[in-house]
Structure formats: C-alpha cells, structure tokens
Amino acid sequence: AQKVTQAQTEISVVEKEDVTLDCVYETRDTTYYLFWYKQPPSGELVFLIRRNSFDEQNEISGRYSWNFQKSTSSFNFTITASQVVDSAVYFCALLSSNTGKLIFGQGTTLQVKP
Amino acid sequence: GAVVSQHPSWVICKSGTSVKIECRSLDFQATTMFWYRQFPKQSLMLMATSNEGSKATYEQGVEKDKFLINHASLTLSTLTVTSAHPEDSSFYICSARDFGGSLNEQFFGPGTRLTVL
C-alpha cells in the first residue's frame, strides 16, 4: 500500500522563525517520486519540488530546503526565516512509477504571524 | 509553458442539475488527465484517470455514472457532475500529464469550486 503521512495538522509560528514540515511515506516501489506543493487560500496548487527515489541529496532553494532520507522514509521541508506570505496549506505527495498516480498527504496548515 | 486551465473557476447550481467542468492543457498535449476532489480542510483525493480516446478509470468508491468524464481530445477533458446534490459541493482540480514529457510530472489546473444549493 502507498501512503503519505503529514502528522502536523496545523503549525503556527511568528515571522522570521524557522519551521519544518514533516512528511513520512510508505511504498513498496523501488522507483518513486516525492513532491511538495503549496496551496494558498486561492486554492491553486503551487509546485515546489520533485525528488526521485534515487536522489537523496538535500536541496536548498532560497529560504526553502528539503531533507530526503530513504532510511526513515521521510521527506521533510524546512522554511528558514518564515514570512507571512508563507502562510498556506502544504502537501507532500508520492507518485508511483507503476501506477502514475499521485497520493497526497493530509496537508499541514502553516500560519505565519507578523 | 505547461499551463492547465479550468472552466468555470466557480459554479453555483441547484440540487438535481448537472454541471460540466472543463480542463484544458493550453500549450501541450495531454494523453492523460486526472481529476481530484478536495473537501474543505481535507486533502486532494484522486477521483479518476482520464485517457484520451478511451474510458476513464475511476477510483474505488467514485460513482462513474454520477461523475462522467470525457477526454475527447489531447487538450480537453470534461467532468460532468450529474444530478448534483449538496454533498457534491467541493473543490474539483484537474491535472494533466504532458504527452511528450516525463511520466512523473503532472501540471495542475487552478480548480473549480462547486456549490450545490
């Protein structure tokens, strides 16, 4: 079975704090892809990152960074020096190379207060 | 590039009527499109996979006679909610896979908010 778990339902931080959003996944596939999306109040999904199962290198993009650890089946997302504009729902997702289907986690609502 | 549009962006209808939602890939050809449903404060749930020129594949628990999907061309898929009821009120999002692109990439539309009175 394939599953994505985002244990944090809601997180609230004050601007400029660092925050980490957790994502744990389950799959029996050897080839798979992991994603993070941002969903602002408008509803439109914003693609943040895609990682394939063979690439465990951590990635940094501006204030965003991702930590992929196959040993713990985790793909965590850290926002450094958070800003009010980062307030949104963030989804972690798993794509099976066998089925081509995206499976989303439950989402984490991040509120950044000024 | 890789833009997906949805029309309408929102719709309000009376219970018992049917509503059609369009999903278009604007600058690429999409052999496969996906339809998701998202209830308030919940995650996206895949409803069906739509392949151009063939019948859609529905996920378990999704009524195929209620949610009619037509993927008549490489740039257009439609979802028709037949005899809509208030419990069908939701945010419907489509995504498209580029025919000439990577199998691991889906491009999402902006979503359609359906309210059934």
Side-chain angles (χ1 to χ4, degrees):
Chain A
Q2 319 232 21
K3 188 178 178 182
V4 177
T5 302
Q6 294 178 253
Q8 305 149 307
T9 305
E10 294 184 10
I11 300 176
S12 181
V13 299
V14 176
E15 205 169 20
K16 297 184 182 177
E17 285 185 20
D18 298 347
V19 58
T20 296
L21 283 61
D22 298 332
C23 173
V24 175
Y25 63 93
E26 295 175 29
T27 181
R28 293 181 181 174
D29 292 347
T30 53
T31 303
Y32 53 89
Y33 301 86
L34 295 164
F35 298 78
W36 274 96
Y37 292 92
K38 175 182 180 179
Q39 187 178 43
S42 65
E44 185 163 1
L45 283 178
V46 177
F47 167 81
L48 296 178
I49 190 171
R50 176 181 66 238
R51 249 304 173 252
N52 74 56
S53 52
F54 299 108
D55 183 0
E56 285 192 73
Q57 277 193 334
N58 292 331
E59 179 152 341
I60 299 175
S61 176
R63 296 184 297 109
Y64 296 169
S65 62
W66 291 268
N67 185 316
F68 177 26
Q69 292 195 348
K70 285 180 75 171
S71 61
T72 55
S73 297
S74 65
F75 186 43
N76 297 337
F77 172 34
T78 297
I79 302 175
T80 303
S82 59
Q83 300 176 1
V84 173
V85 293
D86 295 327
S87 297
V89 181
Y90 290 86
F91 289 99
C92 179
L94 167 70
L95 187 144
S96 164
S97 59
N98 289 330
T99 66
K101 296 179 182 179
L102 259 180
I103 298 164
F104 286 83
Q106 302 92 316
T108 297
T109 300
L110 173 65
Q111 183 181 33
V112 182
K113 298 178 181 178
Chain B
V3 177
V4 176
S5 71
Q6 280 185 242
H7 178 81
S9 55
W10 59 271
V11 57
I12 301 173
C13 70
K14 292 182 179 180
S15 187
T17 60
S18 294
V19 175
K20 181 185 284 188
I21 302 170
E22 293 184 349
C23 177
R24 292 183 185 272
S25 56
L26 298 186
D27 50 3
F28 66 98
Q29 294 183 325
T31 50
T32 303
M33 289 183 172
F34 303 87
W35 287 96
Y36 297 84
R37 180 169 54 184
Q38 184 181 27
F39 291 111
K41 297 190 182 300
Q42 294 190 24
S43 186
L44 284 78
M45 297 299 295
L46 179 65
M47 299 175 65
T49 302
S50 164
N51 291 298
E52 186 266 336
S54 64
K55 290 184 179 180
T57 304
Y58 291 82
E59 295 300 301
Q60 194 172 11
V62 178
E63 299 174 58
K64 62 180 181 180
D65 294 330
K66 180 168 184 63
F67 298 100
L68 301 179
I69 292 173
N70 186 298
H71 193 159
S73 77
L74 285 172
T75 59
L76 174 64
S77 176
T78 60
L79 167 68
T80 301
V81 184
T82 61
S83 187
H85 288 97
E87 57 265 29
D88 299 321
S89 298
S90 188
F91 192 54
Y92 292 86
I93 306 173
C94 73
S95 70
R97 180 186 292 155
D98 189 343
F99 174 70
S102 172
L103 290 177
N104 63 52
E105 201 159 18
Q106 292 184 25
F107 302 98
F108 285 86
T112 296
R113 198 165 300 280
L114 170 63
T115 303
V116 185
L117 302 177

